[in-house]
């Protein structure tokens, strides 16, 4: 008989699988997988070498799966000027100046993480303001959310952007009244400067992944859908290198930017290729823009990919066996993705709608019928409800972040942080928001599943992970006490696991 290597005893273990939220006291692990979960009888799997850990009533859950987090991007922000807490343009400039002093001559200055609605001026900085802090050094700063950037004069010059430069398709160059560029670049116009900026070397990306990993794993996240905005071969190389060196402590489903579709299909890559640690994920494409520029059925917004281009791309990806993850926030963009999946006959590939923020009932039904998955951010839903009158032109509030409607229609929902859009990837506050939402609330079990087996389903791995049923990977997190019993007294923002296991091996904390 197979003996357990490790038994977690006297805990409150919730598999989130067949037995849902019902607590079990004992869990046995062997060969990196769950051998058994149940009561005292599990102790019969004890052998001479079995380690027994007495949990003393502590809760255990499957590891979280953050289905959409910008791992490399977040990691790289750790090497840029941190503008996350900036509260005014002077504050932005001070931070840029201080960071610039640490750089080599000619090195590009980057800053990330501010939001205009958090600045007292409530506007983007002008290029000439950046120039005051940066001088001749090219500087390029990102607004949190990833849809707007500001370049200083040197960066605009490096990209050759002048008064005469036309707006690219799916993007806009901000201009002064006289037509001269003011530094602001929206949506695909960001690429004009990004393409001339020297890309960070592989070593920097690897360091960035390690920083992101430290944060993610400390929040109980054992699997991540690594979202991308552009196609850098070095992203996948960074994960592969870390996996080969045994330094990767989370499982990565690596998105591939739409620019890599051709290359991926030429080498015969299909979604799911890879091993238990690093897999080829979906082809990522942007359909519409960020919050203020979402594509609605009634018109307006930005189409970063037109419906015709999307249809072409989804057809080619489907024919190659590649799943597509489409950034679509507005109902117009979601509808275009449904049309594209239908035309491609791509129902078997679980094509994904990332964000899926404004999704009325008829589109919920279509997504269900087309076998599509909604990958959502519950924290953004809260933000959307508060700010919907400003950002989202929605008439019916039940169309906004419709977690309940989607689940009822039969659409699998996976939750995610969209790190670094959410500054902290801790899933618990989002789970609470999804449960307590007055308009579209879902059960605690459904919310926890969206953050565990939901992500596993989205990457075709629901047979391997996402629950603690026997035979599943022993990716799990152990808490101090039982947060679900303490209810009201728990500070969900601060809730952290005390230990995290990946395939039965400790990757964070102490057991
Ligand atoms: Zn994203």
């Amino acid at each position: 008989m197979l003996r357990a290597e490790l038994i977690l005893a006297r805990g409150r273990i919730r598999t989130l699988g067949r037995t849902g939220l019902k607590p079990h006291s004992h869990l046995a692990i062997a060969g990196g997988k769950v051998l058994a979960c149940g009561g005292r009888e599990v102790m019969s799997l004890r052998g001479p070498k079995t380690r027994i850990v007495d949990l003393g009533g502590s809760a255990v859950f499957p590891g979280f799966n953050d289905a959409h987090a910008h791992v490399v991007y977040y990691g790289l922000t750790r090497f840029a000027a941190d503008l996350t807490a900036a509260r005014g343009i002077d504050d932005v400039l001070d931070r840029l100046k201080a960071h610039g002093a640490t750089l080599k001559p000619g090195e590009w200055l980057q800053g990330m993480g501010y939001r205009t609605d958090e600045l007292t001026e409530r506007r983007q900085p002008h290029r000439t303001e950046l120039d005051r802090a940066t001088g001749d050094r090219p500087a390029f700063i990102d607004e949190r959310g990833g849809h707007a950037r500001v370049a200083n004069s040197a960066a605009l010059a490096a990209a050759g952007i002048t008064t005469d430069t036309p707006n690219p398709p799916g993007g806009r160059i901000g201009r002064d009244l006289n037509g001269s560029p003011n530094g602001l670049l929206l949506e695909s116009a960001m690429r004009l400067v990004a393409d001339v900026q020297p890309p960070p070397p592989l070593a920097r990306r690897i360091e960035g992944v390690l920083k992101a990993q430290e944060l993610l794993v400390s929040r109980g996240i054992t699997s991540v859908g690594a979202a991308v905005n552009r196609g850098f071969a070095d992203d996948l190389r960074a994960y592969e290198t870390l996996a080969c060196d045994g330094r990767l402590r989370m499982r990565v489903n690596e998105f591939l930017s739409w620019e890599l579709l051709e290359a991926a299909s030429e080498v015969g890559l299909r979604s799911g290729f890879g091993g238990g640690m690093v897999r080829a994920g979906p082809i990522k494409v942007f359909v519409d823009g960020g919050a203020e520029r979402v594509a609605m059925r009634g018109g307006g917004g930005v189409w970063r990919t037109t419906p015709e281009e999307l249809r072409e791309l989804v057809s080619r990806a489907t024919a190659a066996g590649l799943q597509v993850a489409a950034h679509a926030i507005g109902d117009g963009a979601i509808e275009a993705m449904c049309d594209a999946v239908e035309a491609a006959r791509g129902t078997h590939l679980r094509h994904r709608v990332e964000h899926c923020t404004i999704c009325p009932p008829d589109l919920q039904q279509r997504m269900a019928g087309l076998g599509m998955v909604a990958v959502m951010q519950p924290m953004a839903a809260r933000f959307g409800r508060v700010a919907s009158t400003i950002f989202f032109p929605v008439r019916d509030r039940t169309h906004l972040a419709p977690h309940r409607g989607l689940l009822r229609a039969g659409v699998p929902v996976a939750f995610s942080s969209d790190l670094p859009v959410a500054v902290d990837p801790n899933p618990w506050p989002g789970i609470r928001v999804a449960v307590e939402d007055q308009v579209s609330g879902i059960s605690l079990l459904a919310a926890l599943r969206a953050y565990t087996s939901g992500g596993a389903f989205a990457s075709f791995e629901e047979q391997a992970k996402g629950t603690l049923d026997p035979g599943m990977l022993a990716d799990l997190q152990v808490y101090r006490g039982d947060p679900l019993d303490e209810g009201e007294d728990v500070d969900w923002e601060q809730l952290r696991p005390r230990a995290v296991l990946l395939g039965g091996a400790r990757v964070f904390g102490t057991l």
Side-chain angles (χ1 to χ4, degrees), residues 68-70 145 147 227-229 255 284 286 327 354-355 377 417-421:
H68 179 131
H70 296 261
H147 294 271
V228 295
N229 298 333
F255 291 30
K284 168 81 183 289
F286 286 92
H327 165 113
E354 311 294 308
H355 311 303
Q377 297 80 38
S417 66
D418 207 6
L419 178 79
V421 177

Side-chain angles (χ1 to χ4, degrees), residues 81-416:
D82 185 0
L83 307 179
T84 312
R87 291 295 171 263
I89 287 172
D90 278 342
D91 196 1
V92 168
L93 302 184
D94 288 346
R95 287 161 194 259
L96 291 178
K97 205 170 204 168
H99 185 68
T102 68
L103 301 176
K104 297 189 198 86
E107 200 178 337
W108 281 57
L109 173 52
Q110 279 191 279
M112 288 157 169
Y114 72 99
R115 281 190 68 102
T116 47
D117 56 3
E118 293 169 0
L119 303 179
T120 45
E121 295 87 351
R122 294 192 161 263
R123 64 167 173 86
Q124 298 282 358
H126 194 274
R127 69 179 162 81
T128 52
E129 290 172 313
L130 296 191
D131 293 347
R132 286 204 324 254
T134 62
D136 299 340
R137 181 192 293 284
F140 198 28
I141 63 172
D142 295 32
E143 184 170 34
R144 196 160 79 238
H147 294 271
R149 294 188 183 184
V150 182
N152 71 353
S153 301
L156 287 179
I161 297 174
T162 65
T163 310
D164 301 329
T165 310
N167 290 333
R172 190 156 67 76
I173 298 169
R175 295 173 203 272
D176 293 331
L177 288 174
N178 66 6
S180 70
N182 63 18
L184 177 63
L185 300 167
L186 294 173
E187 307 295 347
S188 46
M190 301 185 295
R191 289 291 295 267
L192 300 175
V193 171
D195 283 345
V196 299
Q197 189 183 2
L202 176 61
R204 177 56 65 87
R205 281 177 202 276
I206 289 175
E207 283 177 75
V209 170
L210 289 173
K211 284 184 189 287
Q213 167 174 278
E214 189 146 330
L215 175 66
L216 291 162
V217 173
S218 76
R219 302 303 192 257
I221 294 161
T222 51
S223 286
V224 65
V228 295
N229 298 333
R230 299 183 59 194
F232 289 113
D234 275 358
D235 283 353
L236 194 52
R237 281 194 195 115
Y239 298 119
E240 285 168 347
T241 305
L242 289 168
C244 289
D245 296 351
R247 290 196 290 164
L248 197 62
R249 294 184 288 137
M250 58 187 184
R251 304 184 196 275
V252 176
N253 184 46
E254 162 71 347
F255 291 30
L256 303 168
S257 175
W258 58 274
E259 300 148 298
L260 298 176
L261 169 58
E262 209 61 55
S265 51
E266 270 171 25
V267 296
L269 199 72
R270 297 194 308 157
S271 293
F273 174 80
M277 292 304 291
V278 183
R279 292 161 62 92
I283 297 289
K284 168 81 183 289
V285 59
F286 286 92
V287 184
D288 58 355
E292 305 93 327
R293 292 172 297 278
V294 306
M296 298 295 291
R297 282 167 156 173
V302 167
W303 290 90
R304 286 179 65 169
T305 304
T306 66
E308 298 70 39
E309 290 164 345
L310 185 66
R311 203 169 307 173
E312 168 75 25
L313 182 132
V314 173
S315 287
R316 276 166 42 215
T318 299
L322 288 158
Q323 183 189 38
V324 176
H327 165 113
I329 296 180
D331 55 12
I334 298 168
E335 183 169 48
M337 183 57 183
C338 289
D339 291 345
V341 173
E342 194 169 84
R345 303 175 191 276
T347 52
H348 57 295
L349 279 171
R350 302 180 184 176
H351 290 307
R352 306 164 46 142
V353 174
E354 311 294 308
H355 311 303
C356 202
T357 314
I358 305 167
C359 189
D362 66 305
L363 293 180
Q364 296 166 14
Q365 293 295 339
R366 275 193 81 191
M367 285 180 63
L370 292 166
M372 292 163 72
V373 178
V375 180
M376 307 175 79
Q377 297 80 38
M379 289 307 280
R382 181 171 70 176
F383 171 75
R385 291 235 186 281
V386 176
S388 63
T389 47
I390 313 165
F391 288 116
F392 299 123
V394 238
R395 289 235 180 77
D396 188 332
R397 294 201 310 149
T398 63
H399 297 178
L400 188 68
H403 303 139
R404 189 196 295 162
L406 283 161
L407 286 171
R408 285 207 179 144
V411 179
V413 172
F415 278 167
S416 59

